Amino acid sequence: MAKKHDSRAVAARILKEVLGGHSLSEASARLLPQLEDPKDRGLAQELCYGVMRWHPQLEALTRQLLKKPLKPKDLDIQALLFIGLYQLLYLRVADHAAVHESAGAAERLGKRWAVGLVNGVLRAFQRQQEALLAKVDADPAVRYRMPAWLLQRIQQHWPQNWQETVEALNSRPPMSLRVNQQLGSRDDYLQKLAENGIGAQIIEATRSGIVLDQPLDVGSLPGFDDGLVSVQDGGAQLAAELLDPKPGELVLDACAAPGGKSGHLLELAQGLQLTALDVDGRRLLRVQENLERLGFSATLDEGDAAAPSGDWSAQAYDRILLDVPCSSTGVIRRHPDIKFLRREEDIAPLVELQRSILTAIWPLLKPGGRLLYATCSILPEENEQQVAAFLAAEESARECGIDAPWGEACALGRQIRPGDASMDGFYYACLEKRAK
Ligand SMILES: C[S@@+](CC[C@H](N)C(=O)[O-])C[C@H]1O[C@@H](n2cnc3c(N)ncnc32)[C@H](O)[C@@H]1O
């Protein structure tokens, strides 16, 4: 009997959500459990991430192949077309299986009428593949699999190496770990990995980072449940290192969820009094889970960093981490749905939100204290331009330069180019409040 939940049908349901505006990680977390077999889940995940990585091209191809656009209620069928094309172009699935299984998934989605359509479109693609690819790839945004506005920004920002940057953003990300040095050294953990047959290298730019040769399930990582390691990109690990908390200090992580950097701050300094704040109460639960696994506790507060109120805003902090909401353009390789979901017109409101958070949080920093402004963006207006505008408006603030062997120095702060030393694209600026 045909299964109701096969990988392609579930992938189509997930992608329907993404095409409807939801995040891929959130839709995957909700719908992947429909598949019981880890192998089926693995295939569905591969299909979803692959489709979103190549979306600009797959979308252009279906536009050529469909006589008229599908209705909004049939985004799952649109997704099946992407899934079929993705397999034909990029996966080592036999062509006839890719076509047959993708068309069959329409029936499992309760849309028998679409079986013939998916079959017909995919067969038409096979017949005209070369000519169609040449036609759609004539558009640079399709050829480089990036939205046109973002491609243009990357070209402007890195005229010398924009192609490398685009390639890095289109690549599969490595899986990186952060070793909890309170429980053992990085070398000890590398040794443990080697004993378990897991190949890995240290991430030179970081004090605790390791990059695995191959991604794997966290369940296979020695000591994961006991908090020996966390999964975290190397670039993200530089945040807590740069904030450099000292034992016993009062620290505010003002945009904390899901808590990757909160956990790292607590690993770096014994007895830290950490307040982890986030506007999203559900995401704050993830902070709780992550800290529990590491055996740490912090004060968790749901609140708006742009409008401080309540207990967390009634004290002054030695250090503040401001990992603000941003365009996430530096982490597209990890979240390829950003290419589709993020629009150019989102940038100005994000810049305004960052400005209001930075302005509202600054008074909570003690004189002589340090604030690290962080984004996973590669756009200067969210980064050095944001910091420049703040410094121009706030007399008590001064930048302390980041002297580091990683990334590129900007007029203010430092930018990691995506893929640089296997890291995601992060931006950091370190600010200090003048002592009165
Ligand atoms: C880049 S993420 C933080 C990632 C986190 N620092 C980590 O390392 O796991 C940005 C966070 O800011 C939160 N956020 C957005 N607007 C906020 C606001 N006005 N006040 C507080 N948190 C906010 C989002 O809910 C999101 O969890």
Side-chain angles (χ1 to χ4, degrees):
M1 201 178 82
K3 287 187 284 181
K4 191 165 158 235
H5 295 314
D6 74 336
S7 302
R8 289 169 182 84
V10 171
R13 283 188 200 117
I14 294 172
L15 288 169
K16 179 182 185 184
E17 299 274 315
V18 178
L19 297 175
H22 293 271
S23 98
L24 176 53
S25 49
E26 184 269 319
S28 303
R30 196 157 31 86
L31 297 174
L32 270 182
Q34 289 181 349
L35 294 164
E36 274 167 30
D37 185 336
K39 267 208 224 129
D40 291 343
R41 284 200 295 273
L43 175 58
Q45 201 167 6
E46 163 65 40
L47 293 170
C48 290
Y49 278 79
V51 162
M52 292 322 296
R53 198 160 279 132
W54 301 117
H55 177 269
Q57 188 195 41
L58 305 177
E59 214 267 326
L61 287 171
T62 49
R63 247 186 291 130
Q64 295 294 319
L65 287 158
L66 282 172
K67 288 197 185 77
K68 55 178 184 156
L70 290 164
K71 297 189 179 117
K73 69 180 171 63
D74 295 322
L75 285 176
D76 47 357
I77 301 304
Q78 177 85 42
L80 273 186
L81 295 175
F82 294 160
I83 287 168
L85 291 170
Y86 174 65
Q87 293 168 89
L88 289 173
L89 282 166
Y90 300 110
L91 287 193
R92 272 184 295 167
V93 175
D95 285 4
H96 66 273
V99 175
H100 180 75
E101 293 294 327
S102 304
E107 185 158 3
R108 291 187 280 285
L109 290 169
K111 296 190 172 175
R112 181 175 282 193
W113 60 267
V115 172
L117 175 107
V118 175
N119 196 44
V121 166
L122 295 180
R123 288 193 188 287
F125 171 71
Q126 286 180 299
R127 286 193 300 275
Q128 314 163 52
Q129 177 160 342
E130 253 176 58
L132 277 173
L133 286 175
K135 187 167 179 193
V136 299
D137 279 350
D139 174 354
V142 174
R143 187 159 69 253
Y144 292 105
R145 287 78 163 122
M146 276 289 150
W149 70 270
L150 185 55
L151 179 64
Q152 217 175 22
R153 302 284 192 100
I154 296 171
Q155 287 171 327
Q156 272 166 6
H157 195 53
W158 284 293
Q160 304 304 325
N161 39 17
W162 64 268
Q163 267 162 310
E164 244 173 75
T165 307
V166 167
E167 262 168 42
L169 289 174
N170 282 335
S171 67
R172 287 164 192 262
M175 181 167 173
S176 303
L177 307 178
R178 181 188 81 233
V179 177
N180 179 357
Q181 305 230 24
Q182 283 196 11
L183 299 181
S185 74
R186 172 159 67 175
D187 285 345
D188 289 347
Y189 196 76
L190 269 176
Q191 179 69 32
K192 274 197 178 57
L193 288 175
E195 285 161 11
N196 285 271
I198 301 171
Q201 326 292 324
I202 62 167
I203 305 173
E204 297 276 357
T206 66
R207 281 190 249 147
S208 316
I210 287 178
V211 59
L212 299 181
D213 293 349
Q214 295 294 331
L216 45 77
D217 192 88
V218 287
S220 334
L221 290 170
F224 180 80
D225 288 340
D226 305 322
L228 259 57
V229 275
S230 299
V231 176
Q232 190 180 41
D233 175 71
Q237 295 181 34
L238 296 168
E241 289 188 17
L242 289 167
L243 194 63
D244 194 23
K246 301 292 181 229
E249 281 186 336
L250 272 175
V251 175
L252 173 66
D253 186 354
C255 299
K261 300 184 186 76
S262 301
H264 194 191
L265 288 167
L266 289 158
E267 283 169 15
L268 287 185
Q270 305 263 359
L272 205 68
Q273 299 178 64
L274 181 75
T275 298
L277 175 80
D278 205 279
V279 76
D280 184 334
R282 273 179 316 151
R283 281 171 63 81
L284 215 46
L285 294 175
R286 301 266 319 277
V287 182
Q288 177 79 35
E289 286 163 18
N290 281 327
L291 296 188
E292 270 172 16
R293 186 182 58 83
L294 292 168
F296 292 128
S297 65
T299 305
L300 303 192
D301 270 307
E302 183 178 340
D304 182 354
S309 72
D311 288 352
W312 64 270
S313 66
Q315 50 192 339
Y317 296 89
D318 298 294
R319 299 186 195 238
I320 298 180
L321 174 59
L322 215 51
D323 188 15
V324 289
C326 71
S327 62
S328 307
T329 40
V331 292
I332 283 176
R333 60 182 191 161
R334 259 175 229 292
H335 303 283
D337 50 323
I338 290 167
K339 288 197 248 190
F340 171 76
L341 295 173
R342 184 65 68 218
R343 303 289 146 108
E344 189 171 21
E345 54 274 22
D346 298 340
I347 306 305
L350 276 169
V351 170
E352 177 49 27
L353 175 62
Q354 293 152 1
R355 190 200 61 75
S356 62
I357 291 178
L358 180 53
T359 310
I361 286 294
W362 184 255
L364 303 188
L365 186 65
K366 285 182 187 169
R370 173 181 291 193
L371 180 147
L372 187 76
Y373 176 83
T375 74
C376 55
S377 165
I378 53 173
L379 304 177
E381 55 268 59
E382 297 182 273
N383 298 340
E384 56 186 301
Q385 289 171 17
Q386 179 75 264
V387 173
F390 178 70
L391 290 177
E394 181 53 63
E395 264 191 1
S396 67
R398 71 170 191 91
E399 193 220 5
C400 30
I402 301 170
D403 183 18
W406 47 262
E408 299 163 2
C410 308
L412 291 161
R414 231 174 154 82
Q415 176 79 58
I416 304 169
R417 210 158 42 80
D420 190 1
S422 81
M423 300 191 283
D424 284 342
F426 274 87
Y427 169 83
Y428 292 115
C430 192
L431 306 178
E432 263 178 15
K433 190 179 260 188
R434 294 177 211 280
K436 280 187 190 137

